[in-house]
Amino acid sequence: MNLNDLGPLMVRRQDGGLDLDRFRTDPILAALQWPDDVLRDFLFEHGDHGPFVADYGHLDLSAITWTLETLPATDFHTMPTGESEAGLIEHFAQNPVYWASVKVPEVGRHWEDHGTWLRPPLLIDRRLWGPSDSGLQVVEGRTRVGVLCGRQREGLYVASHHRAWVGRP
């Protein structure tokens, strides 16, 4: 099963919130067993985003296991993102203080106090594309990874390790 088989993913409730019921009741989607944080982030960012589906729609979602992992800050410096959003991480890295400040105030304070993000990004193991691919790719969280890279480049406080949801085969 892949994203192209699912049709529209995001269902909004009348109050504007996300309806996660489809992911709890649809047998195919429930079998993915995505953690609530992964599911919420994924739907919020990409539920009806055509370019995202073009980048990742071919992946067999049932072959992915999601875990919350702690990774060295240096690992994020060379991580790509999907082809449709190439260059966005570097765009955000060019002005990390600004991009952290345009979010809710807690985001900027968290970067200053802890040197990391409030909400872990979603990464995916590139071996899901084939055995010749390696490393991790940013699926969701390009702004956060860009802020991290930019803060490090500018000599601002950055934690040595960061948490991220990682999808692996």
Side-chain angles (χ1 to χ4, degrees):
M1 181 202 41
N2 59 48
L3 290 174
N4 292 320
D5 298 333
L6 297 177
L9 295 173
M10 184 164 46
V11 178
R12 291 248 180 225
R13 298 185 310 247
Q14 285 185 330
D15 66 4
L18 292 175
D19 181 2
L20 303 181
D21 288 343
R22 178 175 178 207
F23 283 84
R24 301 295 177 243
T25 59
D26 183 309
I28 295 172
L29 296 172
L32 297 175
Q33 298 180 347
W34 284 357
D36 286 346
D37 289 351
V38 172
L39 179 59
R40 195 170 8 275
D41 291 348
F42 175 82
L43 286 176
F44 181 77
E45 290 288 325
H46 306 294
D48 290 329
H49 187 56
F52 175 83
V53 174
D55 288 344
Y56 301 102
H58 66 285
L59 293 178
D60 180 359
L61 298 176
S62 63
I64 301 172
T65 301
W66 293 94
T67 56
L68 190 58
E69 298 182 16
T70 302
L71 302 169
T74 54
D75 284 5
F76 291 90
H77 286 274
T78 57
M79 279 185 203
T81 191
E83 287 183 30
S84 70
E85 296 170 329
L88 276 180
I89 291 173
E90 180 54 33
H91 170 75
F92 296 125
Q94 290 175 6
N95 197 344
V97 173
Y98 169 78
W99 289 110
S101 71
V102 297
K103 304 290 183 179
V104 294
E106 296 84 38
V107 169
R109 280 195 300 270
H110 199 78
W111 275 106
E112 293 300 319
D113 295 344
H114 303 284
T116 192
W117 37 68
L118 276 170
R119 190 171 46 107
L122 305 180
L123 312 177
I124 198 159
D125 190 319
R126 293 185 52 78
R127 289 179 298 168
L128 290 160
W129 275 263
S132 63
D133 291 304
S134 64
L136 298 174
Q137 179 166 316
V138 179
V139 173
E140 186 276 330
R142 295 162 310 280
T143 305
R144 281 166 270 161
V145 173
V147 167
L148 169 68
C149 295
R151 286 181 64 87
Q152 230 172 2
R153 192 166 45 215
E154 292 182 11
L156 300 171
Y157 173 57
V158 172
S160 62
H161 288 76
H162 303 271
R163 296 189 69 156
W165 284 108
V166 180
R168 296 190 186 275

